[in-house]
Amino acid sequence: MSTSNSYDAVVLGAGVLGLSSALELAEKGMRVVVVARDLPEDLTSTGFASPWAGANWSSFATSEAERRRDTITFRHFERLSKTMPDLVRPADSAYMWNEEGVYREQWYKDLTPNYRFLKGGELPRGFKHGIGFHTFTLDAPRYLGYLASQVRARGIPIIRHRVSSLDEAYSLPGIGAVDLVINATGLGARTLLGVEDSLVHPVRGQTVLVKAPHVRKNINHKDAHERPEEKCYIIPRPGPEGHVILGGVQQAGRWDTQPEPETARRIIERALKACPELSKDGTVEGVEIVSHNVGLRPSREGGIRLELEERVIGTGTDGRLVPHGAKGGRGRRVAVVHAYGIGPAGYQSSKGVGEEVAELATGYVRGRGAKAKL
């Protein structure tokens, strides 16, 4: 383990945002260590959301900042797809609906190739309207492993350690004192002492992973369903397995992680209406099920918190309750870059979020250096 003062920053969290941020910080020349309760190899852990994502690039950005992050990540996926097609694969995507006015023209019409309104034979039977565009799909667990390998290849340690307060992250045993922490703890930001963000909440998702190697198109049925929290989307994953994710639900405030059989059946039934090719014989029983999955999206009212906060160690609730072994530096002025609450947009925003985290971090370091010279 490294000695004291070996690192410039500690990244809390080893999900897609934490690992992406660590890579971007290293690109800026910063010495980084990643500390997390759940590691990228913990693919069956329900403690963090990253292994359970679909995932594809399908932006629902509404602000200029969100659109910038998603654009950066789209270009990143575009580059990766040319050299690592089993990790990130180009794919056609179709959004379909029947009710007038359900879906409007999207902001990314000039970003995604072949963006168009679907007509005639391009629409599956039973649908009146649709848009199509060219995008990218990912195998989420494999992509997480790829990020971890890139982090480790740069000499960045990924250490399993549970941190209960933000203060202790500035002086962890075996790591030493740092002045900067990246808070990419996802749902953990709700209970992490010193953060305790009550706006953070889970949005429960349930999906079904099936085998259907001949299904290659992303499909999303945008009409409202009988149960408002239930959705219909189909995401083929890259790789030789021929796996396809069928979803799903968006259930805000639910923490339970046990799959519900009736929900799974409705997910499959809706997917079959949009894509009958998923089944060998057109029935639910003809679908080759690989697994049932539940993940908790780390969401936040008002969207992601992505900002720099300067603070003083040893003040506030976490200062009184920080474990004794991590109390070194009480009164020291430090900073944290918060990067949590991304909800379901983690993968499609990850590169852009990582770059923004790195800009905030290096700006703080430069400013601190300038003050020290005064």
Side-chain angles (χ1 to χ4, degrees):
M1 185 98 38
S2 299
T3 58
S4 179
N5 298 321
S6 292
Y7 299 106
D8 299 312
V10 168
V11 177
L12 294 180
V16 67
L17 294 191
L19 296 178
S20 297
S21 297
L23 284 172
E24 297 302 324
L25 289 166
E27 280 287 326
K28 298 288 188 180
M30 296 185 69
R31 299 163 298 171
V32 184
V33 56
V34 177
V35 175
R37 181 194 63 186
D38 298 291
L39 300 191
E41 296 77 24
D42 299 336
L43 298 181
T44 60
S45 171
T46 56
F48 72 139
S50 290
W52 302 101
N56 65 0
W57 192 98
S58 183
S59 178
F60 38 82
T62 57
S63 70
E64 185 56 39
E66 290 171 342
R67 289 191 285 268
R68 182 181 65 253
R69 296 166 195 148
D70 287 5
T71 298
I72 290 169
T73 309
F74 183 89
R75 296 302 187 198
H76 176 62
F77 290 163
E78 189 173 43
R79 292 189 294 271
L80 276 180
S81 70
K82 294 174 181 176
T83 57
M84 307 184 74
D86 282 350
L87 185 70
V88 180
R89 185 176 69 198
D92 286 328
S93 191
Y95 285 8
M96 304 171 303
W97 65 96
N98 287 307
E99 299 176 22
E100 290 285 349
V102 164
Y103 215 61
R104 304 182 199 132
E105 190 164 71
Q106 297 301 294
W107 72 268
Y108 49 79
K109 63 184 178 65
D110 296 322
L111 173 66
T112 55
N114 203 26
Y115 180 98
R116 68 207 182 278
F117 282 93
L118 301 178
K119 298 178 181 179
E122 288 190 292
L123 285 166
R125 183 178 300 174
F127 290 94
K128 298 178 181 178
H129 311 284
I131 60 169
F133 56 95
H134 188 79
T135 187
F136 300 96
T137 65
L138 293 77
D139 184 316
R142 188 174 283 143
Y143 189 78
L144 199 63
Y146 162 77
L147 288 177
S149 69
Q150 293 293 299
V151 166
R152 290 178 172 125
R154 286 184 166 272
I156 302 171
I158 303 177
I159 299 171
R160 189 189 298 277
H161 183 79
R162 181 179 176 274
V163 174
S164 56
S165 70
L166 187 56
D167 266 4
E168 65 187 281
Y170 295 94
S171 186
L172 287 169
I175 292 176
V178 298
D179 293 331
L180 181 64
V181 168
I182 311 304
N183 174 21
T185 55
L187 286 173
R190 184 178 176 88
T191 54
L192 184 67
L193 292 174
V195 181
E196 301 157 274
D197 190 340
S198 62
L199 298 177
V200 172
H201 63 276
V203 175
R204 181 182 180 275
Q206 179 171 335
T207 61
V208 183
L209 182 66
V210 305
K211 186 172 183 178
H214 48 286
V215 175
R216 308 277 289 186
K217 178 185 288 189
N218 294 305
I219 296 175
N220 198 316
H221 179 192
K222 304 305 293 186
D223 286 314
H225 301 286
E226 184 177 339
R227 291 173 170 81
E229 75 276 9
E230 297 191 357
K231 313 297 177 182
C232 177
Y233 54 85
I234 299 166
I235 304 175
R237 282 182 167 175
E241 298 88 356
H243 288 171
V244 181
I245 283 282
L246 310 182
V249 297
Q250 294 182 1
Q251 297 167 322
R254 283 187 55 175
W255 290 89
D256 55 296
T257 56
Q258 185 66 28
E260 298 173 338
E262 288 306 310
T263 299
R265 173 170 283 273
R266 289 194 298 271
I267 287 171
I268 297 172
E269 288 173 344
R270 286 193 297 268
L272 281 176
K273 290 180 181 178
C275 183
E277 297 81 9
L278 288 165
S279 173
K280 296 174 182 176
D281 58 9
T283 68
V284 170
E285 291 68 27
V287 175
E288 186 176 345
I289 296 172
V290 177
S291 66
H292 295 278
N293 315 300
V294 173
L296 303 179
R297 303 175 181 96
S299 300
R300 181 176 182 269
E301 291 180 37
I304 187 173
R305 184 181 183 189
L306 185 45
E307 62 181 2
L308 175 78
E309 176 192 359
E310 297 193 38
R311 55 197 307 276
V312 177
I313 292 177
T315 60
T317 302
D318 62 326
R320 294 192 297 273
L321 300 179
V322 66
H324 179 75
K327 285 187 177 179
R330 184 180 294 275
R332 183 158 55 95
R333 300 194 69 84
V334 294
V336 55
V337 176
H338 296 289
Y340 64 84
I342 193 68
Y347 281 86
Q348 69 189 23
S349 300
S350 55
K351 174 73 170 175
V353 169
E355 289 190 7
E356 198 165 328
V357 165
E359 288 296 326
L360 289 169
T362 54
Y364 167 75
V365 171
R366 285 194 301 269
R368 191 178 179 88
K371 289 178 184 178
K373 294 177 182 178
L374 295 177

